[in-house]
Amino acid sequence: MKEIKRYVEENKDRFVQELMDLLKIPSVSADSDYKKDMLKTAEAVKQKLQNAGCVLVEICETPGHPVVYGEKIISKDLPTVLVYGHYDVQPPDPVGLWENPPFDPVIKNTKIHPQGAIFARGACDDKGQMYMHVKALEYMTKNDELPCNVKFMIEGEEEVGSENLGWFIERNKEKLANDVILISDTGMISKDTPSITTGLRGLSYIEVEVTGPNRDLHSGLYGGAVGNPINILSKMIASLTDENNHITIPGFYDKVEELSEEERKKMAEAPYNEEEYKDKLKINDVYGEA
């Protein structure tokens, strides 16, 4: 660790400047006006991977924004780590709420960042994390300490649902073959507690359309006899859970894994203060299944 810290300290100014340059490119995937900036960012990520030691780096076209792929293969006998990240960012709106322009990164000292932090769109989602892995490869490559094969898959559509990521993976299974996938697009429990996120809740997108009468009805004449689609839909949504917040959808829990006592014990060791949690979010109580 001493050598790593020394390397980081010696190269800190360069690291920060490189990241700042990356953050200045407005890679907003949700707005077609930024298409050229998306391509510019992909090219920049490609260059970063090459500089860090990847032997093969390429920008792979998809039906949408491209995926940047890179690899450093030492030996087929060694395990392979696939690093996932994304170079696109959320739209900066509403711009008026930013204290500094979203794509003009600045370093500021705050109460929770007394040593300073970079403020810009994408600084922590996900250019900062992705860049961290690139620099880790740089260190291990330059110091001949890389213990395994490394592959990078940096996409440009995470903030719009990764619509073409599945398309890309299906066509590149052999190229992406690995033993473990490392994703740093999550949070940290605290600055002094190393954290590995092993699971997150998924999303299911469902569109439900509830229709009612053929015209707008006067509530005084029809209110008791004809159901309002909004009320019916509200009841449908409310029926998805019971009074204990238990999900009532048949079969929902069939494949849910029960946590072992050891896992529960480990989770209980994580620093967590419920009162601080509520205060931070300005809520009166927490919510969840009993």
Side-chain angles (χ1 to χ4, degrees), residues 62-76:
T62 76
H65 299 300
V67 172
V68 184
Y69 174 81
E71 65 179 30
K72 173 77 172 178
I73 306 298
I74 302 174
S75 170
K76 293 182 178 180

Side-chain angles (χ1 to χ4, degrees), residues 39-284:
L39 296 174
K40 183 179 179 181
T41 309
E43 287 287 352
V45 173
K46 176 184 177 181
Q47 189 63 53
K48 301 294 184 193
L49 289 171
Q50 288 175 330
N51 295 345
C54 282
V55 176
L56 170 66
V57 187
E58 53 190 7
I59 295 178
C60 307
E61 297 298 324
T62 76
H65 299 300
V67 172
V68 184
Y69 174 81
E71 65 179 30
K72 173 77 172 178
I73 306 298
I74 302 174
S75 170
K76 293 182 178 180
D77 297 327
L78 290 172
T80 299
V81 175
L82 173 65
V83 177
Y84 165 87
H86 63 92
Y87 62 85
D88 65 319
V89 301
Q90 282 276 356
D93 308 292
V95 177
L97 295 181
W98 285 81
E99 293 181 2
N100 57 281
F103 298 107
D104 185 11
V106 297
I107 297 176
K108 292 190 289 187
N109 300 85
T110 68
K111 184 177 180 180
I112 60 173
H113 303 293
Q115 295 177 321
I118 298 175
F119 286 78
R121 174 59 90 223
C124 63
D125 187 12
D126 182 48
K127 290 178 179 176
Q129 289 96 315
M130 175 269 292
Y131 176 82
M132 173 186 66
H133 292 298
V134 176
K135 294 295 107 176
L137 174 68
E138 176 189 306
Y139 167 79
M140 289 185 285
T141 300
K142 287 191 174 182
N143 291 277
D144 197 26
E145 293 184 14
L146 190 63
C148 60
N149 302 314
V150 179
K151 296 179 179 179
F152 287 84
M153 180 177 68
I154 314 298
E155 68 154 321
E157 296 185 334
E158 195 274 346
E159 299 294 4
V160 288
S162 298
E163 185 175 347
N164 293 295
L165 186 61
W167 180 94
F168 176 76
I169 292 173
E170 281 292 328
R171 288 158 177 78
N172 294 277
K173 289 181 179 180
E174 187 175 342
K175 176 186 288 187
L176 299 170
N178 63 83
D179 296 284
V180 63
I181 300 174
L182 179 60
I183 301 173
S184 288
D185 192 12
T186 51
M188 295 189 297
I189 294 175
S190 67
K191 290 184 178 181
D192 56 1
T193 305
S195 315
I196 297 178
T197 300
T198 58
L200 291 169
R201 287 174 179 247
L203 294 175
S204 178
Y205 293 95
I206 299 171
E207 182 175 314
V208 177
E209 187 174 302
V210 179
T211 57
N214 60 359
R215 63 185 184 277
D216 194 17
L217 301 181
H218 191 289
S219 57
L221 297 176
Y222 297 97
V226 181
N228 186 323
I230 294 177
N231 291 340
I232 302 301
L233 183 59
S234 298
K235 291 180 179 180
M236 290 170 61
I237 294 172
S239 71
L240 295 175
T241 57
D242 63 18
E243 65 276 9
N244 295 315
N245 296 320
H246 185 85
I247 296 169
T248 58
I249 301 171
F252 184 87
Y253 292 94
D254 289 354
K255 293 184 179 180
V256 174
E257 296 182 9
E258 289 291 329
L259 294 176
S260 67
E261 287 299 316
E262 184 180 0
E263 288 172 317
R264 288 184 176 277
K265 184 179 178 181
K266 281 293 181 184
M267 290 175 67
E269 292 176 4
Y272 170 70
N273 183 302
E274 190 165 294
E275 292 306 313
E276 289 181 3
Y277 182 84
K278 291 190 293 185
D279 183 63
K280 185 177 181 180
L281 298 175
K282 301 303 178 187
I283 57 176
N284 295 322

